Amino acid sequence: MNEERRLTTRQAAELLGVKPATVYAYVSRGQLTSRRDPVGRGSSFDAREVEALARRNRREAATPTGELSVRTSLTLIERDRYYFRGVDAVALASRYAYEEVAEWLWTGALPHGARFAAPAEPLAAARRAVAALPEHSGPVDRLRVAVAAAAVADPLRFDLSEEAVLGSARCLIPTLVGALPEAGPAAWAGDGRMARQLWARLTACEPDPDALAVLDLALGLLVDHDLAASTLAVRVAASARAHPYAAVSAGLGALEGPLHGAAGRLAHRMLAEVLERGGAAPVVAEYLRAGRRVPGLGHRLYKGGDPRAQALFARLDDLPQAGPALGAAREVAEVMARQGGGLHANVDLALAVLTVACGMPAEAGETVFAVARTAGWIAHALEEYQERPLRMRPSGEYHGPRPPQPMP
């Protein structure tokens, strides 16, 4: 009665509704385990394991038409809060460094004092590639080129096992940061945490512990945010079994869009203009007159306020040099509140306060976002590697002329 039920390859294929070759593809991806027949006539499979996989595939197939639903164990957003693996994300990022938050998202473990280090060869390749770009290149341009160069220097990039992907991730993030042009003395970066390494690429202002802590908090808060556009692009690439570097490149490509990655830059410029003109009212008026959206306000997932912005504003309150920019941001929010739209400051506005206060360029917020989110993209790629390949293949709804049409 308790004997384990075994299925032949053909029986497993019939139960799953796939070809026998696909059964072995499931084995290679770790979704099924096989046992060689002692007489050498093929493999057998645990019936319960096959049935569980069949149920999972049926649930995916039952997703309502027109609605893309992706199962994830990484980030939950509800009631104006968000959680990493069930733990309050703001509390986690407030207590632990960016590297530790990334490890939690990847593995569900919190190794104290985790550090990421860039290997010499990929870092040198990334720096050479970035140095060859035109001087006016933006941060995402540089990061995309650095990812491609680092990928070529990693012979293990096609190994999609969890161990190999995590090894690549721990090297890739510091390689991206190290490939960016230095804004301050190299000694400021040292071999410390990612926040310190990144600081030396963002500003010529000397770092102080409180400002570094705010930057580290921002990195931790931005590690992941469920299925944003860039994250979905990463999962589509991973579904096609693109290696992790290529998956991160897909995320960076989506981040280039003005509706996803550019908001921090726009908020920075708006705050700088408010400070220059001595008040928010004329600046906001010009935005509205031109029919432009005032950046840094509102978020479709947080009606009561973005918890990431609230956490950053609370920490910025203790940063003396942030006072003017913080006042400008609050004045913008107050002016807009008179319209009664109920729009709260979002994380882009909070990042803009940090970048303006610390003498960083307008694109610095975009750099912080991309570096931070790379860890989340890797986490989503790891999840997707465990799913059925090419599952994110929607069917097109053709609206062109019906055939046959005359040959042009």
Side-chain angles (χ1 to χ4, degrees):
M1 293 289 292
N2 295 324
E3 187 176 347
E4 182 183 36
R5 290 189 299 122
R6 308 293 299 179
L7 301 177
T8 65
T9 303
R10 183 170 296 280
Q11 289 171 329
E14 289 175 355
L15 184 58
L16 291 166
V18 298
K19 296 178 180 179
T22 305
V23 175
Y24 290 104
Y26 285 129
V27 174
S28 68
R29 295 195 302 272
Q31 293 175 277
L32 286 178
T33 53
S34 64
R35 182 189 300 169
R36 191 68 182 171
D37 192 298
V39 295
R41 293 183 177 177
S43 301
S44 65
F45 303 84
D46 184 338
R48 290 172 297 182
E49 194 176 47
V50 175
E51 290 163 356
L53 180 58
R55 285 194 298 270
R56 191 162 74 233
N57 288 349
R58 284 196 295 272
R59 283 198 301 271
E60 289 178 359
T63 299
T65 302
E67 178 185 342
L68 179 60
S69 178
V70 179
R71 292 191 315 277
T72 178
S73 303
L74 300 174
T75 301
L76 170 67
I77 301 174
E78 64 177 14
R79 294 189 292 276
D80 290 335
R81 297 175 71 182
Y82 72 121
Y83 306 84
F84 294 153
R85 293 187 179 272
V87 175
D88 185 282
V90 171
L92 192 71
S94 299
R95 181 171 180 180
Y96 294 99
Y98 166 71
E99 295 92 325
E100 293 164 329
V101 176
E103 291 284 352
W104 172 255
L105 199 67
W106 292 338
T107 67
L110 263 172
H112 182 65
R115 291 284 198 280
F116 299 157
E121 185 179 354
L123 179 57
R127 283 177 171 169
R128 286 194 300 270
V130 169
L133 291 172
E135 190 174 343
H136 64 266
S137 301
V140 177
D141 295 322
R142 295 186 175 109
L143 292 173
R144 287 167 62 193
V145 169
V147 169
V152 176
D154 183 0
L156 302 180
R157 64 187 181 277
F158 295 107
D159 184 347
L160 303 186
S161 66
E162 181 176 349
E163 182 180 8
V165 171
L166 288 177
S168 296
R170 294 179 183 117
C171 296
L172 173 60
I173 294 173
T175 297
L176 295 182
V177 173
L180 294 172
E182 293 174 351
W188 288 355
D191 58 354
R193 291 198 177 278
M194 291 310 309
R196 190 174 188 88
Q197 294 181 43
L198 183 58
W199 180 278
R201 266 78 187 174
L202 296 177
T203 178
C205 296
E206 187 173 354
D208 67 76
D210 292 335
L212 280 172
V214 178
L215 178 58
D216 193 43
L217 174 63
L219 289 168
L221 292 170
L222 292 168
V223 161
D224 189 45
H225 206 236
D226 196 31
L227 288 179
S230 57
T231 304
L232 181 58
V234 168
R235 293 200 75 131
V236 171
S239 177
R241 295 304 180 259
H243 57 70
Y245 296 89
V248 168
S249 292
L252 289 169
L255 200 63
E256 281 270 67
L259 301 181
H260 186 26
R265 183 183 307 205
L266 298 176
H268 177 109
R269 289 174 176 162
M270 178 188 66
L271 287 187
E273 188 177 357
V274 170
L275 290 171
E276 181 183 343
R277 299 183 63 172
V283 176
V284 170
E286 286 190 6
Y287 271 85
L288 298 178
R289 182 180 181 183
R292 292 184 292 163
R293 181 175 178 271
V294 177
L297 298 174
H299 196 290
R300 71 181 188 87
L301 297 180
Y302 299 118
K303 303 306 179 186
D306 188 336
R308 302 168 299 176
Q310 293 165 0
L312 283 172
F313 282 137
R315 194 71 67 87
L316 286 163
D317 261 328
D318 298 327
L319 205 62
Q321 63 265 43
L326 197 56
R330 286 174 173 155
E331 190 180 349
V332 169
E334 288 167 4
V335 170
M336 287 298 293
R338 297 172 197 164
Q339 289 191 321
L343 294 178
H344 299 273
N346 60 34
V347 71
D348 297 310
L349 191 61
L351 266 182
V353 172
L354 173 64
T355 56
V356 169
C358 295
M360 298 176 185
E363 62 269 19
E366 194 173 350
T367 308
V368 173
F369 185 98
V371 170
R373 191 57 57 87
T374 298
W377 292 336
I378 293 291
H380 280 273
L382 276 169
E383 273 199 336
E384 194 58 40
Y385 291 148
Q386 303 306 313
E387 298 288 351
R388 175 170 54 84
L390 294 174
R391 68 190 182 118
M392 294 189 185
R393 173 59 170 88
S395 297
E397 186 175 336
Y398 181 71
H399 283 264
R402 295 296 306 171
Q405 293 291 317
M407 183 67 66

